[in-house]
Amino acid sequence: MNAATSGAPTLSLVVPMYNEEETVSTFYRRAVAALEQIAVPFEIVVVDDGSTDGTFERLRALAEGDSRVKVVRFSRNFGHQTAVTAGLHYAKGAAVAVIDGDLQDPPEFVPRLFEKWREGFEVVYAVRRSRKESVLKRAAYRLFYRLLRRLSYVDIPLDSGDFAIMDRRVVDELNKMPERNRFVRGIRAWVGFRQTGIEYDREPRFAGESKYPLGKLVKLAYDGLVSYSFVPLRMVTHLGFVISGSAFALILYLLTLRLVYGERLVTGWTSTVVVVLFLGGIQLLSLGILGEYVGRIFDEVKRRPLYVVRETVGFDRAEELSKTAAAELEIAPEVALRR
Ligand code: UDP
Ligand code: MG
């Protein structure tokens, strides 16, 4: 590794923040204290995901006083996964750690992730041994991760979020991926290499409220399921077979009654209505599942950029220019630099 000689940091810490003004200074203090323990050059890349409170002003003040702090400010709220993605684009380290900016993931745990990376693992993800959230939310998370594991065609580890450290090679692979509806822990698992997990206790939020209202969580869950599984589509096909089979059997039965036994059925309002409602429901459900996939296809083919940056603080001028060139040409920044 020649990160130290080339002036690039060895470790980058990527932090998405959305309206976390009360947490910024404590986060900074704890993160710097933890990273200084490792005694390698580091940078903290904070992505301000369109905060509407004082988050950005506080971050800018920190970045102006400490050249290791860098800030990418979005033009609006693009969402947590997109903020993480942008952070990975801007991070320069030989190892890149991703951490939540609300202190639910303790920065003091990063040195342990870093140790494992040094041992030669390309991905070391933190596995939540415990969570301090409401019973309902915990149950929902448990169910989702187990469902995802059953359904998906990549091996996404149980109870691990985005809190992880990744080798430069993995980050480069992630950065090449153009997909828009991102589920970072999914693509991270998809990439492969040597991966391992270590357990930690997830803490309660330092301040403020969760920035993941139910709607955003459901979207994240759908992204995870739809992007890494064809099972929902296959279920629709299976259902189609079962229902067509039953309908065919029923047709035979009714025809036999009519033709062989000469029965004229005029009663049967209930059965008719039940069948119609049942089929209507199944059809709507199937359309919905198809829609989830089609909607995402639509989103992908538009090929819009993933996010819009309003301003950055603390990056080199050369880095900045290469980013702009990369964004315009839709190529990786390293390539842009070489041109
Ligand atoms: N976050 C973000 N954009 C969003 C929502 C959240 O950058 O649209 C950040 C947030 O500031 C925090 C992290 O992502 O640092 C995790 O979000 P949150 O704590 O709200 O999620 P939860 O822990 O409740 O799942
Ligand atoms: Mg949180």
Side-chain angles (χ1 to χ4, degrees), residues 12-20 23-25 27-28 31-32 43-51 55-56 58-60 62-63 66 68-74 83-84 86-88 90-91 97 99-102 309 311-315:
S12 303
L13 192 65
V14 166
V15 196
M17 281 197 186
Y18 177 49
N19 292 345
E20 305 284 4
T23 316
V24 171
S25 65
F27 180 90
Y28 168 75
V32 166
E43 64 174 357
I44 300 178
V45 179
V46 184
V47 180
D48 171 22
D49 189 7
S51 296
T55 302
F56 177 74
R58 290 182 193 203
L59 288 172
R60 173 160 48 205
L62 286 178
D66 182 344
R68 298 169 299 187
V69 178
K70 293 155 190 189
V71 188
V72 178
R73 184 189 197 182
F74 281 176
V84 170
L88 294 178
Y90 278 84
I99 189 171
D100 276 359
D102 60 355
V309 174
E311 61 189 297
T312 61
V313 190
F315 292 93

Side-chain angles (χ1 to χ4, degrees), residues 88-323:
L88 294 178
H89 285 159
Y90 278 84
K92 284 273 173 292
V96 181
V98 176
I99 189 171
D100 276 359
D102 60 355
L103 291 172
Q104 280 200 280
D105 305 330
E108 293 74 21
F109 193 72
V110 175
R112 294 208 26 220
L113 295 173
F114 188 80
E115 269 319 303
K116 273 277 179 211
W117 169 75
R118 258 196 187 145
E119 283 172 25
F121 290 97
E122 275 95 0
V123 175
V124 187
Y125 49 84
V127 181
R128 294 178 274 248
R129 180 168 34 205
S130 63
R131 278 176 175 273
K132 297 189 179 65
E133 277 148 335
S134 74
V135 184
L136 207 70
K137 209 167 173 183
R138 287 209 307 259
Y141 275 115
R142 257 189 84 84
L143 180 74
F144 167 68
Y145 279 110
R146 273 137 196 92
L147 191 69
L148 183 64
R149 190 171 177 81
R150 299 261 338 226
L151 298 188
S152 90
Y153 54 77
V154 289
D155 203 6
I156 300 174
L158 284 176
D159 300 316
S160 70
D162 296 328
F163 190 23
I165 199 166
M166 289 174 271
D167 188 75
R168 168 59 34 201
R169 294 176 63 189
V170 172
V171 176
D172 285 345
E173 292 303 327
L174 291 189
N175 287 350
K176 278 189 219 157
M177 297 192 191
E179 62 199 77
R180 266 120 193 94
N181 297 293
R182 290 209 164 220
F183 186 63
V184 174
R185 61 206 76 160
I187 36 180
R188 188 182 72 207
W190 181 91
V191 167
F193 292 104
R194 283 184 73 201
Q195 307 214 355
T196 188
I198 31 181
E199 289 196 326
Y200 80 115
D201 296 304
R202 190 156 162 91
E203 291 180 14
R205 246 177 180 278
F206 177 74
E209 306 239 299
S210 171
K211 308 299 182 295
Y212 257 105
L214 189 66
K216 275 189 182 174
L217 265 183
V218 170
K219 157 97 169 68
L220 184 68
Y222 279 7
D223 275 342
L225 288 173
V226 167
S227 303
Y228 298 94
S229 172
F230 294 112
V231 176
L233 282 178
R234 213 162 293 142
M235 262 165 34
V236 170
T237 315
H238 291 170
L239 222 75
F241 276 124
V242 171
I243 292 175
S244 308
S246 328
F248 190 67
L250 193 65
I251 290 171
L252 280 185
Y253 168 71
L254 291 177
L255 277 182
T256 316
L257 276 189
R258 175 78 182 79
L259 296 178
V260 180
Y261 300 99
E263 289 236 18
R264 295 184 177 273
L265 295 173
V266 269
T267 50
W269 185 84
T270 313
S271 57
T272 313
V273 169
V274 165
V275 167
V276 167
L277 288 182
F278 175 72
L279 279 184
I282 295 290
Q283 280 165 353
L284 283 183
L285 179 76
S286 309
L287 267 183
I289 293 178
L290 276 182
E292 288 294 327
Y293 285 86
V294 174
R296 279 170 181 74
I297 298 171
F298 183 49
D299 226 24
E300 299 294 336
V301 296
K302 279 185 284 191
R303 299 203 56 80
R304 285 195 192 133
L306 271 137
Y307 52 85
V308 177
V309 174
R310 175 164 170 186
E311 61 189 297
T312 61
V313 190
F315 292 93
D316 294 347
R317 185 99 184 103
E319 268 172 27
E320 285 302 299
L321 289 175
S322 81
K323 278 286 163 207

